[in-house]
Amino acid sequence: MPITLDQAQTIVRAALEHGTEQGFQPLTVAVLDPGGALVALARQDGSGYLRPDLATAKAWGILGMGMTNRALAARAEAAPDLYTTLVALSGGKVASVPGGVFVRDADGQLLGAVGISGDTSLNDEAAALAGIEAAGLVAETGAEA
Amino acid sequence: MPITLDQAQTIVRAALEHGTEQGFQPLTVAVLDPGGALVALARQDGSGYLRPDLATAKAWGILGMGMTNRALAARAEAAPDLYTTLVALSGGKVASVPGGVFVRDADGQLLGAVGISGDTSLNDEAAALAGIEAAGLVAETGAEA
Amino acid sequence: MPITLDQAQTIVRAALEHGTEQGFQPLTVAVLDPGGALVALARQDGSGYLRPDLATAKAWGILGMGMTNRALAARAEAAPDLYTTLVALSGGKVASVPGGVFVRDADGQLLGAVGISGDTSLNDEAAALAGIEAAGLVAETGAEA
Amino acid sequence: MPITLDQAQTIVRAALEHGTEQGFQPLTVAVLDPGGALVALARQDGSGYLRPDLATAKAWGILGMGMTNRALAARAEAAPDLYTTLVALSGGKVASVPGGVFVRDADGQLLGAVGISGDTSLNDEAAALAGIEAAGLVAETGAEA
């Protein structure tokens, strides 16, 4: 079952609130369903026009490969050529930096992914986590606990 | 001055409410700034995965040409080859059917455009008009009064 | 010998002056060398963001095929499928409507082409002719004398 | 408010004069509005046909990310994979080398960006600064004072 628009908009709202509270740079948030299609996107005033594509890519790539950003980064380090191929193959829709986060329900079922771009990668990811938590859903980043 | 995210989200919410109230098919709404970049997008549950691109295209094409859908349709009828060129040149981001609407402030200043896809073109457009009105902004469709 | 930047900028200036004097919609003018590369481009305030690509396409297509817009239009009418192929092949950089004009020197040597977009196709072409004449060069549109 | 064509042409003229006076290689200058669309472009005689795309990319990338070339270069050094993604995502329209400069008015409002290519990156940037100064506008390169 894909993420609903209501869940996605809750994530968007809470992620942007987190960024504003923390004094982050203006963010762009994208929420994608398991098929890689946009469900919701919001770009804060002052966030650059490339940010929607980058936020979307962060989520699209992890869904498409079924691997977290950190797993992608490990793979990219071990096999840089593979990463180059993945990026070219997807027209740039794969990113190994943090800021793309899987969204699951309480049973571990995949609902989609969130991608955020605008501040540092780790701040982008923190905003995604805040959004997913606000929606009562479960985030997976690949970071060790 | 581009449309703000707050204005864009008001448009999205009100347009989707209009669609739901009227019993329209599930809609996707895109709000673009005057430079053609996404500010907000929302896809209702059940709206197909091509809808985000189509909703975006409806708004992108009228902004890029500085012409309403109806003016584009008239030009396409007079010069079908030109329309073919425009569609290819933009990667399909030009659409002559209703559902892309300019958004202006009370002084006539261009703030961006709304594109909606999901139901019939005229219903898509009606939802856009409802959204723009709810934000206290001025819509331009090219339809005669 | 390709058109010089000085010649191209004279064409740009005079074409835009013509448009302003005649009360045309805001224009975008592109001047290309015989290899199809931009030498100069200018977009008047208010001319849409798709206009640079369209103005460029009008000149690029005639240079690439070695045929005027009108010859392209005749070919498109006789063989519509060919036109579709040309447009797709070039990513939309072929246009059969007026507004792309060859530029030659007094000896008939090809220097490049001018493409203009913003008003009706014939007005776009008239502006191109005014520009080319101001530079003391020879225009070729394919229109019968 | 985007940069006007008059301002853009002043920048083009003065940037090219600077290059000529300093004995730079032939330059190509692109001036973009805040949405990333071309306002003016000029390629000096002898400047290669890839230069228009490269000059445009230098300006397009900084506008799209809302970061100077130097900030992009720092990010690219810290996260090379991200830079690869950005370049692919944008079709090569992001460049971390100097020669793309933000243009602001006296109040700090963003009007657009200038991109120059043809000589060394720092000489390209110097020409952009000369152009922006001649237009009475404010340049931002990210270089430390």
Side-chain angles (χ1 to χ4, degrees), chain A residues 3-6 9 12-13 16 33 37-45 49 52, chain B residues 3-6 9 12-13 16 33 37-45 49 52:
Chain A
I3 195 164
T4 65
L5 176 56
D6 274 353
Q9 293 289 42
V12 165
R13 253 192 314 275
L16 295 180
D33 70 18
L38 271 177
V39 176
L41 183 142
R43 180 164 61 104
Q44 283 188 309
D45 305 343
Y49 57 72
Chain B
I3 196 163
T4 65
L5 176 57
D6 275 353
Q9 293 290 41
V12 165
R13 253 191 313 275
L16 294 180
D33 71 17
L38 270 178
V39 177
L41 183 141
R43 179 163 62 103
Q44 284 188 309
D45 305 344
Y49 60 74

